[in-house]
Amino acid sequence: MNQFINAQIRSLLEEEDMIAAFSNVSACIKTNYDRLNWAGFYFTKNNELVLGPFQGKVACTHIPFDKGVCGKCYRDKETQKIDDVLSFPGHIACDSDSRSELCVPIILNDEVIGEIDLDSPEKNRFTADEAKEMEQAAVDISKAWIKHNWSF
Ligand code: SME
């Protein structure tokens, strides 16, 4: 359990520029959690998920709602903690090193406006505590979204 990560993320979300804030939050997650190969955001835009700020290798830029772990997270409006991505039908392998994934919806007014997505090269990498931390981060992001009047 990383007890400081949510406080750090809240402080980074005081930045009012959206790209600056999300860039720093992705760096914060990538540096606080070890054994990650990717940490970043997808945002709902024009009826699909579009890549946002991230840390890691080049990634898929557009994900349809009916595809991949990110699409399932959007449809179910629920955290997806995938312990072995190779056994998830339709997993999108942006980086072939990825073995487990944590994808958390960012919900505003009952709609998924974006997602926090984390990948690890290690199977079973993500804990239930980390899922809770990222769910708290998603709540803090939706509050910042309203406070800063962010939009696309
Ligand atoms: N693995 C995701 C795609 C995004 S990348 O992991 C950065 C998926 O299956 O939707």
Side-chain angles (χ1 to χ4, degrees):
M1 183 98 180
N2 182 331
Q3 56 184 319
F4 300 116
I5 192 164
N6 288 114
Q8 282 184 56
I9 290 172
R10 272 192 290 277
S11 127
L12 294 171
L13 289 167
E14 285 170 21
E15 165 60 50
E16 65 181 1
D17 184 278
M18 190 177 168
I19 292 175
F22 281 107
S23 299
N24 267 341
V25 173
S26 67
C28 177
I29 296 169
K30 180 78 160 57
T31 50
N32 273 272
Y33 286 168
D34 55 13
R35 295 166 286 131
L36 298 190
N37 56 336
W38 203 90
F41 295 94
Y42 281 90
F43 294 109
T44 305
K45 210 170 165 181
N46 301 328
N47 282 316
E48 60 178 359
L49 295 161
V50 181
L51 183 65
F54 69 95
Q55 300 264 308
K57 285 190 189 168
V58 166
C60 328
T61 48
H62 299 260
I63 300 178
F65 294 149
D66 61 348
K67 295 278 187 309
V69 175
C70 293
K72 182 151 177 28
C73 179
Y74 178 87
R75 294 192 307 279
D76 293 359
K77 296 185 180 174
E78 272 173 13
T79 295
Q80 305 295 313
K81 186 166 87 62
I82 310 298
D83 293 333
D84 178 4
V85 295
L86 299 182
S87 34
F88 183 95
H91 166 255
I92 301 166
C94 294
D95 180 344
S96 60
D97 284 343
S98 297
R99 284 294 172 275
S100 58
E101 179 159 357
L102 180 66
C103 189
V104 175
I106 303 165
I107 297 175
L108 185 65
N109 299 329
D110 208 35
E111 282 185 23
V112 178
I113 56 167
E115 299 177 354
I116 304 169
D117 190 34
L118 312 183
D119 288 323
S120 170
E122 194 177 298
K123 266 208 310 192
N124 298 304
R125 160 66 187 79
F126 297 101
T127 64
D129 280 344
E130 287 167 341
K132 285 199 175 72
E133 287 163 2
M134 291 301 98
E135 284 165 355
Q136 181 60 54
V139 168
D140 293 329
I141 287 167
S142 60
K143 287 181 184 163
W145 195 281
I146 295 167
K147 175 179 159 195
H148 297 307
N149 203 17
W150 287 333
S151 66
F152 285 110

